[in-house]
Amino acid sequence: MRSGHSHGHSHNHGHSHGHGHDHSHAPKDFGPAFIIAIILNSAFVVIEATYGFLSGSMALVADAGHNLSDVLALLLAWGASVAAKKPASARYTYGFKSSTILAALANAMLLAVAIGAIAFETVHRMFDPVEPQGMTMIVVASIGIVINAGTAMLFMHGRHNDLNIRGAFLHMAADALVSLGVVIAGIAILYTSQAWIDPLASLMILAVITWGTWGLARDSLRMGLLGVPDHIDEAAVAEHLAKCPGVAAVHDLHIWPMSTTETALTAHLVMPAGHPGDEALKQLSDELSEAFGIRHTTFQVEMQRDACEAGC
């Protein structure tokens, strides 16, 4: 029985190994973008929360709570992206790549806490309405649109290659839309003087946050449980491996996320004719990288299926 692993270099130690990690997609450094986004949004949270309480607008307070959770999300995402670049060690043989998954889980929990606090205050305000200052809502939320839209632009170019960056982009873009909703609510209050519009707008903002939080929690939990990433069809991968020349059967196929951006695979390939050679395994790794975005692959080649029936 012989094993073959795929990474970006080749070496031999008795068994034949062909390593083929794709390192050509070096992630862009979004450190400066995170710093700018965190500073701008932190300042805006203070301004929005202050004016929200002073003007009696729960919609502004809800939006400030949402923005605060996004600042924390940006901090976590930035910290995780830095940790993910740290080299592997004897204890952490994968490095700290999975810290990005932990960050996503933490973000979901932070959002859940923010939702509960804002919902409690909003319900209280519905039974004890206070007419907010519509013009204050309009001005402050308009500033929010500019800041959030500008921040989203910082992450626009990286949103296709990195789930953490895509999350930051979507958070900021959604915040801009939420701020637009507050502006509309402010205009409505200005012209109608109806106090109930503000808590209604707050509840609608909470609905948007809850929807996003559910998706984030679901995806991060799936990753935390090492589930096959959404963009990968496990059956299609198994079929691709089974069709490779010399492969009679495929078993013990495992696909899991190493981080929010990287996926790993291990599989046993039953090849009666024997080990196909390093180059063949490297080509198979390249095919999986190109077709499915799986860039960390390890194959164990077996001469016969029953060699591993007992305990693999």
Side-chain angles (χ1 to χ4, degrees):
M1 180 172 70
R2 315 187 69 183
S3 63
H5 304 264
S6 63
H7 292 256
H9 54 275
S10 288
H11 59 272
N12 288 281
H13 300 295
H15 295 288
S16 291
H17 298 269
H19 289 274
H21 277 194
D22 186 354
H23 295 292
S24 61
H25 301 277
K28 179 182 174 183
D29 181 17
F30 279 89
F34 276 117
I35 292 171
I36 294 170
I38 289 166
I39 291 173
L40 284 177
N41 282 275
S42 295
F44 181 61
V45 164
V46 174
I47 294 170
E48 189 171 33
T50 300
Y51 278 96
F53 283 114
L54 290 176
S55 67
S57 171
M58 274 312 299
L60 280 179
V61 174
D63 194 28
H66 187 198
N67 279 307
L68 176 60
S69 69
D70 282 342
V71 169
L72 295 173
L74 287 170
L75 281 167
L76 283 166
W78 183 27
S81 68
V82 171
K85 294 173 185 174
K86 289 185 176 295
S89 67
R91 181 171 293 276
Y92 299 99
T93 55
Y94 275 131
F96 295 88
K97 297 178 187 299
S98 60
S99 60
T100 54
I101 298 173
L102 295 178
L105 277 166
N107 282 336
M109 289 188 284
L110 285 170
L111 282 166
V113 172
I115 288 169
I118 298 168
F120 178 82
E121 186 59 31
T122 300
V123 171
H124 172 72
R125 186 59 58 87
M126 291 184 78
F127 288 101
D128 185 19
V130 176
E131 185 182 333
Q133 300 168 19
M135 185 54 71
T136 302
M137 293 173 64
I138 294 168
V139 173
V140 175
S142 294
I143 296 171
I145 293 174
V146 174
I147 290 177
N148 287 316
T151 304
M153 296 294 285
L154 294 174
F155 299 103
M156 179 174 284
H157 294 299
R159 70 189 191 280
H160 296 303
N161 303 319
D162 187 328
L163 287 180
N164 249 350
I165 300 302
R166 186 186 306 172
F169 170 79
L170 290 174
H171 269 298
M172 295 301 108
D175 283 353
L177 290 175
V178 168
S179 293
L180 176 61
V182 176
V183 169
I184 294 171
I187 293 172
I189 289 170
L190 204 59
Y191 283 96
T192 66
S193 298
Q194 296 295 314
W196 58 265
I197 294 175
D198 178 66
L200 178 63
S202 177
L203 287 175
M204 291 176 69
I205 291 169
L206 281 175
V208 172
I209 303 171
T210 302
W211 179 261
T213 301
W214 167 248
L216 178 64
R218 180 195 61 215
D219 293 343
S220 56
L221 277 173
R222 183 183 295 128
M223 283 189 162
L225 292 170
L226 305 183
V228 178
D230 281 344
H231 66 280
I232 295 174
D233 182 347
E234 191 267 352
V237 173
E239 183 180 358
H240 184 95
L241 292 173
K243 287 182 177 178
C244 291
V247 175
V250 178
H251 65 99
D252 288 273
L253 171 62
H254 301 286
I255 306 169
W256 74 95
M258 295 174 62
S259 71
T260 54
T261 59
E262 298 178 71
T263 304
L265 172 149
T266 60
H268 290 222
L269 306 179
V270 180
M271 306 184 78
H275 196 285
D278 290 353
E279 199 55 42
L281 290 176
K282 185 181 184 306
Q283 181 181 343
L284 179 55
S285 294
D286 291 341
E287 289 173 5
L288 292 176
S289 175
E290 184 67 30
F292 302 100
I294 302 172
R295 297 197 172 92
H296 297 262
T297 52
T298 303
F299 305 114
Q300 179 164 310
V301 177
E302 300 168 1
M303 298 287 285
Q304 53 189 9
R305 176 65 179 95
D306 57 7
C308 216
E309 287 285 358
C312 282

